[in-house]
PDB file of all heavy atoms in Angstrom:
ATOM      1  N   TYR A   1       0.832  -1.202   0.000  1.00  0.00           N
ATOM      2  CA  TYR A   1       0.000   0.000   0.000  1.00  0.00           C
ATOM      3  C   TYR A   1       0.867   1.252   0.000  1.00  0.00           C
ATOM      4  O   TYR A   1       0.509   2.264  -0.608  1.00  0.00           O
ATOM      5  CB  TYR A   1      -0.946   0.029   1.204  1.00  0.00           C
ATOM      6  CG  TYR A   1      -2.338  -0.437   0.885  1.00  0.00           C
ATOM      7  CD1 TYR A   1      -2.928  -1.451   1.621  1.00  0.00           C
ATOM      8  CD2 TYR A   1      -3.087   0.136  -0.140  1.00  0.00           C
ATOM      9  CE1 TYR A   1      -4.207  -1.893   1.338  1.00  0.00           C
ATOM     10  CE2 TYR A   1      -4.368  -0.296  -0.430  1.00  0.00           C
ATOM     11  CZ  TYR A   1      -4.920  -1.307   0.312  1.00  0.00           C
ATOM     12  OH  TYR A   1      -6.185  -1.738   0.029  1.00  0.00           O
ATOM     13  N   SER A   2       2.001   1.208   0.665  1.00  0.00           N
ATOM     14  CA  SER A   2       2.894   2.373   0.676  1.00  0.00           C
ATOM     15  C   SER A   2       3.454   2.643  -0.718  1.00  0.00           C
ATOM     16  O   SER A   2       3.802   3.773  -1.049  1.00  0.00           O
ATOM     17  CB  SER A   2       4.024   2.177   1.683  1.00  0.00           C
ATOM     18  OG  SER A   2       4.884   1.130   1.277  1.00  0.00           O
ATOM     19  N   LEU A   3       3.508   1.617  -1.531  1.00  0.00           N
ATOM     20  CA  LEU A   3       4.019   1.744  -2.892  1.00  0.00           C
ATOM     21  C   LEU A   3       2.968   2.329  -3.845  1.00  0.00           C
ATOM     22  O   LEU A   3       3.310   2.932  -4.858  1.00  0.00           O
ATOM     23  CB  LEU A   3       4.449   0.357  -3.384  1.00  0.00           C
ATOM     24  CG  LEU A   3       5.198   0.249  -4.680  1.00  0.00           C
ATOM     25  CD1 LEU A   3       6.569   0.883  -4.521  1.00  0.00           C
ATOM     26  CD2 LEU A   3       5.346  -1.207  -5.064  1.00  0.00           C
ATOM     27  N   GLU A   4       1.705   2.179  -3.493  1.00  0.00           N
ATOM     28  CA  GLU A   4       0.618   2.575  -4.389  1.00  0.00           C
ATOM     29  C   GLU A   4       0.698   4.048  -4.791  1.00  0.00           C
ATOM     30  O   GLU A   4       0.553   4.394  -5.965  1.00  0.00           O
ATOM     31  CB  GLU A   4      -0.720   2.271  -3.720  1.00  0.00           C
ATOM     32  CG  GLU A   4      -1.902   2.439  -4.640  1.00  0.00           C
ATOM     33  CD  GLU A   4      -3.189   1.993  -3.987  1.00  0.00           C
ATOM     34  OE1 GLU A   4      -3.397   2.300  -2.794  1.00  0.00           O
ATOM     35  OE2 GLU A   4      -3.978   1.359  -4.670  1.00  0.00           O
ATOM     36  N   LYS A   5       0.953   4.930  -3.846  1.00  0.00           N
ATOM     37  CA  LYS A   5       1.028   6.367  -4.123  1.00  0.00           C
ATOM     38  C   LYS A   5       2.156   6.678  -5.105  1.00  0.00           C
ATOM     39  O   LYS A   5       2.003   7.505  -5.999  1.00  0.00           O
ATOM     40  CB  LYS A   5       1.214   7.133  -2.819  1.00  0.00           C
ATOM     41  CG  LYS A   5       1.276   8.621  -2.964  1.00  0.00           C
ATOM     42  CD  LYS A   5       1.459   9.282  -1.604  1.00  0.00           C
ATOM     43  CE  LYS A   5       1.844  10.725  -1.750  1.00  0.00           C
ATOM     44  NZ  LYS A   5       2.157  11.350  -0.475  1.00  0.00           N
ATOM     45  N   CYS A   6       3.265   5.991  -4.943  1.00  0.00           N
ATOM     46  CA  CYS A   6       4.418   6.223  -5.817  1.00  0.00           C
ATOM     47  C   CYS A   6       4.179   5.700  -7.228  1.00  0.00           C
ATOM     48  O   CYS A   6       4.813   6.164  -8.177  1.00  0.00           O
ATOM     49  CB  CYS A   6       5.664   5.540  -5.255  1.00  0.00           C
ATOM     50  SG  CYS A   6       6.135   6.088  -3.630  1.00  0.00           S
ATOM     51  N   CYS A   7       3.297   4.714  -7.354  1.00  0.00           N
ATOM     52  CA  CYS A   7       3.047   4.090  -8.654  1.00  0.00           C
ATOM     53  C   CYS A   7       2.014   4.834  -9.481  1.00  0.00           C
ATOM     54  O   CYS A   7       1.925   4.609 -10.698  1.00  0.00           O
ATOM     55  CB  CYS A   7       2.583   2.650  -8.469  1.00  0.00           C
ATOM     56  SG  CYS A   7       3.887   1.579  -7.894  1.00  0.00           S
ATOM     57  N   ASP A   8       1.229   5.691  -8.865  1.00  0.00           N
ATOM     58  CA  ASP A   8       0.188   6.407  -9.606  1.00  0.00           C
ATOM     59  C   ASP A   8       0.721   7.120 -10.854  1.00  0.00           C
ATOM     60  O   ASP A   8       0.091   7.036 -11.913  1.00  0.00           O
ATOM     61  CB  ASP A   8      -0.549   7.394  -8.696  1.00  0.00           C
ATOM     62  CG  ASP A   8      -1.521   6.703  -7.757  1.00  0.00           C
ATOM     63  OD1 ASP A   8      -1.875   5.528  -8.016  1.00  0.00           O
ATOM     64  OD2 ASP A   8      -1.923   7.323  -6.754  1.00  0.00           O
ATOM     65  N   PRO A   9       1.875   7.807 -10.779  1.00  0.00           N
ATOM     66  CA  PRO A   9       2.391   8.452 -11.998  1.00  0.00           C
ATOM     67  C   PRO A   9       2.703   7.467 -13.134  1.00  0.00           C
ATOM     68  O   PRO A   9       2.637   7.843 -14.305  1.00  0.00           O
ATOM     69  CB  PRO A   9       3.677   9.146 -11.531  1.00  0.00           C
ATOM     70  CG  PRO A   9       3.470   9.355 -10.076  1.00  0.00           C
ATOM     71  CD  PRO A   9       2.661   8.186  -9.607  1.00  0.00           C
ATOM     72  N   LEU A  10       3.007   6.221 -12.807  1.00  0.00           N
ATOM     73  CA  LEU A  10       3.283   5.237 -13.856  1.00  0.00           C
ATOM     74  C   LEU A  10       2.033   4.941 -14.675  1.00  0.00           C
ATOM     75  O   LEU A  10       2.117   4.581 -15.849  1.00  0.00           O
ATOM     76  CB  LEU A  10       3.810   3.935 -13.247  1.00  0.00           C
ATOM     77  CG  LEU A  10       5.101   4.013 -12.454  1.00  0.00           C
ATOM     78  CD1 LEU A  10       5.469   2.640 -11.912  1.00  0.00           C
ATOM     79  CD2 LEU A  10       6.228   4.561 -13.306  1.00  0.00           C
ATOM     80  N   TYR A  11       0.890   5.079 -14.050  1.00  0.00           N
ATOM     81  CA  TYR A  11      -0.376   4.792 -14.724  1.00  0.00           C
ATOM     82  C   TYR A  11      -1.019   6.032 -15.343  1.00  0.00           C
ATOM     83  O   TYR A  11      -1.805   5.918 -16.272  1.00  0.00           O
ATOM     84  CB  TYR A  11      -1.367   4.169 -13.729  1.00  0.00           C
ATOM     85  CG  TYR A  11      -0.987   2.774 -13.311  1.00  0.00           C
ATOM     86  CD1 TYR A  11      -0.286   2.560 -12.134  1.00  0.00           C
ATOM     87  CD2 TYR A  11      -1.323   1.681 -14.082  1.00  0.00           C
ATOM     88  CE1 TYR A  11       0.060   1.272 -11.740  1.00  0.00           C
ATOM     89  CE2 TYR A  11      -0.980   0.397 -13.704  1.00  0.00           C
ATOM     90  CZ  TYR A  11      -0.285   0.199 -12.526  1.00  0.00           C
ATOM     91  OH  TYR A  11       0.067  -1.068 -12.139  1.00  0.00           O
ATOM     92  N   SER A  12      -0.697   7.215 -14.808  1.00  0.00           N
ATOM     93  CA  SER A  12      -1.433   8.409 -15.233  1.00  0.00           C
ATOM     94  C   SER A  12      -0.588   9.484 -15.906  1.00  0.00           C
ATOM     95  O   SER A  12      -1.131  10.482 -16.356  1.00  0.00           O
ATOM     96  CB  SER A  12      -2.140   9.022 -14.017  1.00  0.00           C
ATOM     97  OG  SER A  12      -1.197   9.410 -13.048  1.00  0.00           O
ATOM     98  N   SER A  13       0.715   9.289 -15.993  1.00  0.00           N
ATOM     99  CA  SER A  13       1.584  10.329 -16.545  1.00  0.00           C
ATOM    100  C   SER A  13       2.175   9.903 -17.881  1.00  0.00           C
ATOM    101  O   SER A  13       2.184   8.731 -18.235  1.00  0.00           O
ATOM    102  CB  SER A  13       2.738  10.634 -15.587  1.00  0.00           C
ATOM    103  OG  SER A  13       2.258  11.074 -14.354  1.00  0.00           O
ATOM    104  N   ASP A  14       2.724  10.875 -18.553  1.00  0.00           N
ATOM    105  CA  ASP A  14       3.470  10.582 -19.772  1.00  0.00           C
ATOM    106  C   ASP A  14       4.885  10.137 -19.377  1.00  0.00           C
ATOM    107  O   ASP A  14       5.306  10.346 -18.230  1.00  0.00           O
ATOM    108  CB  ASP A  14       3.510  11.809 -20.681  1.00  0.00           C
ATOM    109  CG  ASP A  14       4.179  12.992 -20.003  1.00  0.00           C
ATOM    110  OD1 ASP A  14       3.468  13.740 -19.284  1.00  0.00           O
ATOM    111  OD2 ASP A  14       5.404  13.156 -20.173  1.00  0.00           O
ATOM    112  N   PRO A  15       5.619   9.507 -20.283  1.00  0.00           N
ATOM    113  CA  PRO A  15       6.957   8.984 -19.920  1.00  0.00           C
ATOM    114  C   PRO A  15       7.904  10.034 -19.352  1.00  0.00           C
ATOM    115  O   PRO A  15       8.692   9.740 -18.456  1.00  0.00           O
ATOM    116  CB  PRO A  15       7.481   8.421 -21.244  1.00  0.00           C
ATOM    117  CG  PRO A  15       6.249   8.040 -21.992  1.00  0.00           C
ATOM    118  CD  PRO A  15       5.224   9.083 -21.617  1.00  0.00           C
ATOM    119  N   VAL A  16       7.846  11.266 -19.822  1.00  0.00           N
ATOM    120  CA  VAL A  16       8.739  12.309 -19.309  1.00  0.00           C
ATOM    121  C   VAL A  16       8.399  12.628 -17.855  1.00  0.00           C
ATOM    122  O   VAL A  16       9.290  12.766 -17.008  1.00  0.00           O
ATOM    123  CB  VAL A  16       8.660  13.578 -20.198  1.00  0.00           C
ATOM    124  CG1 VAL A  16       9.466  14.717 -19.598  1.00  0.00           C
ATOM    125  CG2 VAL A  16       9.135  13.272 -21.609  1.00  0.00           C
ATOM    126  N   SER A  17       7.123  12.713 -17.537  1.00  0.00           N
ATOM    127  CA  SER A  17       6.703  13.021 -16.165  1.00  0.00           C
ATOM    128  C   SER A  17       6.972  11.864 -15.208  1.00  0.00           C
ATOM    129  O   SER A  17       7.154  12.069 -14.014  1.00  0.00           O
ATOM    130  CB  SER A  17       5.217  13.365 -16.121  1.00  0.00           C
ATOM    131  OG  SER A  17       4.945  14.459 -16.938  1.00  0.00           O
ATOM    132  N   MET A  18       6.974  10.663 -15.746  1.00  0.00           N
ATOM    133  CA  MET A  18       7.232   9.480 -14.908  1.00  0.00           C
ATOM    134  C   MET A  18       8.611   9.524 -14.273  1.00  0.00           C
ATOM    135  O   MET A  18       8.803   9.020 -13.175  1.00  0.00           O
ATOM    136  CB  MET A  18       7.127   8.198 -15.737  1.00  0.00           C
ATOM    137  CG  MET A  18       5.759   7.776 -16.065  1.00  0.00           C
ATOM    138  SD  MET A  18       5.859   6.236 -16.996  1.00  0.00           S
ATOM    139  CE  MET A  18       4.291   6.263 -17.792  1.00  0.00           C
ATOM    140  N   VAL A  19       9.557  10.122 -14.954  1.00  0.00           N
ATOM    141  CA  VAL A  19      10.937  10.165 -14.476  1.00  0.00           C
ATOM    142  C   VAL A  19      11.018  10.790 -13.086  1.00  0.00           C
ATOM    143  O   VAL A  19      11.791  10.333 -12.238  1.00  0.00           O
ATOM    144  CB  VAL A  19      11.840  10.908 -15.483  1.00  0.00           C
ATOM    145  CG1 VAL A  19      13.244  11.119 -14.931  1.00  0.00           C
ATOM    146  CG2 VAL A  19      11.885  10.150 -16.799  1.00  0.00           C
ATOM    147  N   ASP A  20      10.196  11.788 -12.824  1.00  0.00           N
ATOM    148  CA  ASP A  20      10.220  12.457 -11.520  1.00  0.00           C
ATOM    149  C   ASP A  20       9.762  11.532 -10.391  1.00  0.00           C
ATOM    150  O   ASP A  20      10.138  11.735  -9.235  1.00  0.00           O
ATOM    151  CB  ASP A  20       9.327  13.705 -11.542  1.00  0.00           C
ATOM    152  CG  ASP A  20       9.840  14.770 -12.500  1.00  0.00           C
ATOM    153  OD1 ASP A  20      11.067  14.774 -12.771  1.00  0.00           O
ATOM    154  OD2 ASP A  20       9.026  15.587 -12.970  1.00  0.00           O
ATOM    155  N   ALA A  21       8.958  10.537 -10.718  1.00  0.00           N
ATOM    156  CA  ALA A  21       8.423   9.632  -9.697  1.00  0.00           C
ATOM    157  C   ALA A  21       9.382   8.480  -9.377  1.00  0.00           C
ATOM    158  O   ALA A  21       9.220   7.812  -8.354  1.00  0.00           O
ATOM    159  CB  ALA A  21       7.086   9.062 -10.155  1.00  0.00           C
ATOM    160  N   ILE A  22      10.371   8.262 -10.205  1.00  0.00           N
ATOM    161  CA  ILE A  22      11.258   7.102 -10.044  1.00  0.00           C
ATOM    162  C   ILE A  22      12.030   7.103  -8.725  1.00  0.00           C
ATOM    163  O   ILE A  22      12.081   6.083  -8.040  1.00  0.00           O
ATOM    164  CB  ILE A  22      12.221   6.961 -11.256  1.00  0.00           C
ATOM    165  CG1 ILE A  22      11.418   6.771 -12.554  1.00  0.00           C
ATOM    166  CG2 ILE A  22      13.228   5.844 -11.058  1.00  0.00           C
ATOM    167  CD1 ILE A  22      10.604   5.511 -12.612  1.00  0.00           C
ATOM    168  N   PRO A  23      12.647   8.205  -8.296  1.00  0.00           N
ATOM    169  CA  PRO A  23      13.386   8.158  -7.020  1.00  0.00           C
ATOM    170  C   PRO A  23      12.526   7.758  -5.823  1.00  0.00           C
ATOM    171  O   PRO A  23      12.940   6.934  -5.002  1.00  0.00           O
ATOM    172  CB  PRO A  23      13.932   9.584  -6.866  1.00  0.00           C
ATOM    173  CG  PRO A  23      14.014  10.119  -8.248  1.00  0.00           C
ATOM    174  CD  PRO A  23      12.843   9.497  -8.978  1.00  0.00           C
ATOM    175  N   ALA A  24      11.322   8.313  -5.718  1.00  0.00           N
ATOM    176  CA  ALA A  24      10.442   7.949  -4.607  1.00  0.00           C
ATOM    177  C   ALA A  24      10.039   6.484  -4.705  1.00  0.00           C
ATOM    178  O   ALA A  24       9.960   5.780  -3.687  1.00  0.00           O
ATOM    179  CB  ALA A  24       9.202   8.837  -4.603  1.00  0.00           C
ATOM    180  N   LEU A  25       9.808   6.015  -5.902  1.00  0.00           N
ATOM    181  CA  LEU A  25       9.439   4.624  -6.122  1.00  0.00           C
ATOM    182  C   LEU A  25      10.566   3.684  -5.701  1.00  0.00           C
ATOM    183  O   LEU A  25      10.341   2.713  -4.971  1.00  0.00           O
ATOM    184  CB  LEU A  25       9.098   4.425  -7.599  1.00  0.00           C
ATOM    185  CG  LEU A  25       8.591   3.078  -8.038  1.00  0.00           C
ATOM    186  CD1 LEU A  25       7.265   2.756  -7.372  1.00  0.00           C
ATOM    187  CD2 LEU A  25       8.426   3.065  -9.550  1.00  0.00           C
ATOM    188  N   ILE A  26      11.774   3.996  -6.105  1.00  0.00           N
ATOM    189  CA  ILE A  26      12.936   3.177  -5.738  1.00  0.00           C
ATOM    190  C   ILE A  26      13.150   3.199  -4.224  1.00  0.00           C
ATOM    191  O   ILE A  26      13.427   2.163  -3.615  1.00  0.00           O
ATOM    192  CB  ILE A  26      14.215   3.653  -6.477  1.00  0.00           C
ATOM    193  CG1 ILE A  26      14.049   3.557  -7.996  1.00  0.00           C
ATOM    194  CG2 ILE A  26      15.442   2.878  -6.008  1.00  0.00           C
ATOM    195  CD1 ILE A  26      13.841   2.168  -8.534  1.00  0.00           C
ATOM    196  N   ASN A  27      13.026   4.354  -3.613  1.00  0.00           N
ATOM    197  CA  ASN A  27      13.195   4.453  -2.156  1.00  0.00           C
ATOM    198  C   ASN A  27      12.134   3.650  -1.415  1.00  0.00           C
ATOM    199  O   ASN A  27      12.419   3.029  -0.385  1.00  0.00           O
ATOM    200  CB  ASN A  27      13.174   5.911  -1.701  1.00  0.00           C
ATOM    201  CG  ASN A  27      14.468   6.618  -2.001  1.00  0.00           C
ATOM    202  OD1 ASN A  27      15.520   5.989  -2.110  1.00  0.00           O
ATOM    203  ND2 ASN A  27      14.401   7.927  -2.160  1.00  0.00           N
ATOM    204  N   THR A  28      10.914   3.653  -1.915  1.00  0.00           N
ATOM    205  CA  THR A  28       9.845   2.886  -1.273  1.00  0.00           C
ATOM    206  C   THR A  28      10.116   1.387  -1.394  1.00  0.00           C
ATOM    207  O   THR A  28       9.940   0.642  -0.422  1.00  0.00           O
ATOM    208  CB  THR A  28       8.475   3.249  -1.884  1.00  0.00           C
ATOM    209  OG1 THR A  28       8.272   4.656  -1.742  1.00  0.00           O
ATOM    210  CG2 THR A  28       7.357   2.499  -1.192  1.00  0.00           C
ATOM    211  N   ILE A  29      10.560   0.956  -2.560  1.00  0.00           N
ATOM    212  CA  ILE A  29      10.903  -0.467  -2.732  1.00  0.00           C
ATOM    213  C   ILE A  29      12.076  -0.844  -1.829  1.00  0.00           C
ATOM    214  O   ILE A  29      12.081  -1.911  -1.209  1.00  0.00           O
ATOM    215  CB  ILE A  29      11.202  -0.792  -4.211  1.00  0.00           C
ATOM    216  CG1 ILE A  29       9.920  -0.637  -5.037  1.00  0.00           C
ATOM    217  CG2 ILE A  29      11.771  -2.202  -4.355  1.00  0.00           C
ATOM    218  CD1 ILE A  29      10.116  -0.757  -6.539  1.00  0.00           C
TER     219      ILE A  29
END
C-alpha cells in the first residue's frame, strides 16, 4: 500500500513526467 502512491504516476503520466516519480518509487521499494 505504501508503494501505491508512488506508482500512480506510472499509470497516469506521460513517460517524461514518470521520471520524476522514479526516485520515490525506488526508495519505497
